[in-house]
Amino acid sequence: MNEVTFYENIFELSPQYPLTVLEFLKTELQLGKKYVVMDVHTQNGQLSKLLHKHVHLVCSVSSDPQYHVYLKDKFKETSNFLSLNAVPILTSVEEDSIDCLCIDETFSQYDVLRMGIEFERVLRLNSYVLLLQNKLLDIPKTFTNAYLTFIKKNHNEGELVVDLPKQDRLDSFYNNGFTQQKFKNQQWLNWSMLEQYYQTALEKENLSTRPSVLTELKALFEQFEQEGEVHLEYETYLYYGLFNHSVPEISLRKSIFFNVLRPVAFAFYILVKANIYFWKGLYKIKNKLFQGSSS
């Protein structure tokens, strides 16, 4: 498979994020036209494809220099797209310039503490960091279940199916805590697309296949196809939490001032109360004197 076909397949055949993710980001996280979003990936770009029409700027950061060039050409007519070749632990992005940062399964390839330091550097105060990942949904008696069985039979564990991040890794990354959301997702493929989908996945892992394995996949396709297509079921996982979390704090000088002021304020409160009771008492005495003189 030549380089152009390989990158084209990645861009066109990688599962897209569902529109429900976009709606969630816009309604729940208030993502909008003023936002500058960083999309951190190796070979993906699906989030850039989803968001670039809905935000001020998408900055794609890819650690693959060739894919960076491919995306740059792919979005050359898009004025609010910027492609950079960098790794997530060291970018050339200016400090305090990003409103929201998104990362895909590339999250598993780098040290969480070093990523956290770099992300805090480029992010503005109270900015969300999103981790998005698609997981094939193993539903019995579906093509997805049959495809996963086919993968397990012909490949070593973990070669073509990416695991979701572990809880302790997420806890180490999200110092201020995180929330998880799940979205249903699916992808329809004809035979040519399925073959390219599978072979591209092999190419990404530097694996090769045998003609007999492709024959087995073709038989699987014919068993499940409906009107010339099969569909893969996914669940899109979204983890999100705040970085550079800012809670308004009273400065030391203000704290000292308020500590000094507290007894004065209490004394003033006592004086006000005493004043009220004084005038109430005086009013009662006046009333009694007035009643005594009239009788």
Side-chain angles (χ1 to χ4, degrees), residues 216-242:
E216 183 182 345
L217 183 61
K218 179 69 181 292
L220 203 63
F221 173 84
E222 291 173 347
Q223 179 185 345
F224 285 90
E225 64 90 11
Q226 297 176 15
E227 298 181 358
E229 291 184 324
V230 292
H231 69 274
L232 289 170
E233 295 283 351
Y234 294 90
E235 211 158 35
T236 299
Y237 283 74
L238 167 64
Y239 308 90
Y240 63 97
L242 284 173

Side-chain angles (χ1 to χ4, degrees), residues 139-168:
I139 303 172
K141 299 181 181 179
T142 64
F143 176 75
T144 310
N145 170 261
Y147 181 74
L148 285 169
T149 303
F150 163 82
I151 293 296
K152 291 175 185 176
K153 175 185 173 184
N154 293 288
H155 300 281
N156 296 325
E157 187 176 354
E159 280 186 339
L160 298 184
V161 179
V162 180
D163 288 329
L164 294 171
K166 298 288 188 279
Q167 180 74 31
D168 58 346

Side-chain angles (χ1 to χ4, degrees), residues 196-208:
Q196 291 295 308
Y197 173 93
Y198 172 62
Q199 291 193 327
T200 302
L202 293 177
E203 188 96 0
K204 287 177 77 172
E205 300 297 325
N206 296 313
L207 300 172
S208 57

Side-chain angles (χ1 to χ4, degrees), residues 266-280:
F266 182 71
F268 180 73
Y269 169 79
I270 295 297
L271 285 173
V272 170
K273 281 289 187 182
N275 187 54
I276 292 171
Y277 287 125
F278 171 76
W279 285 108
K280 279 186 175 179

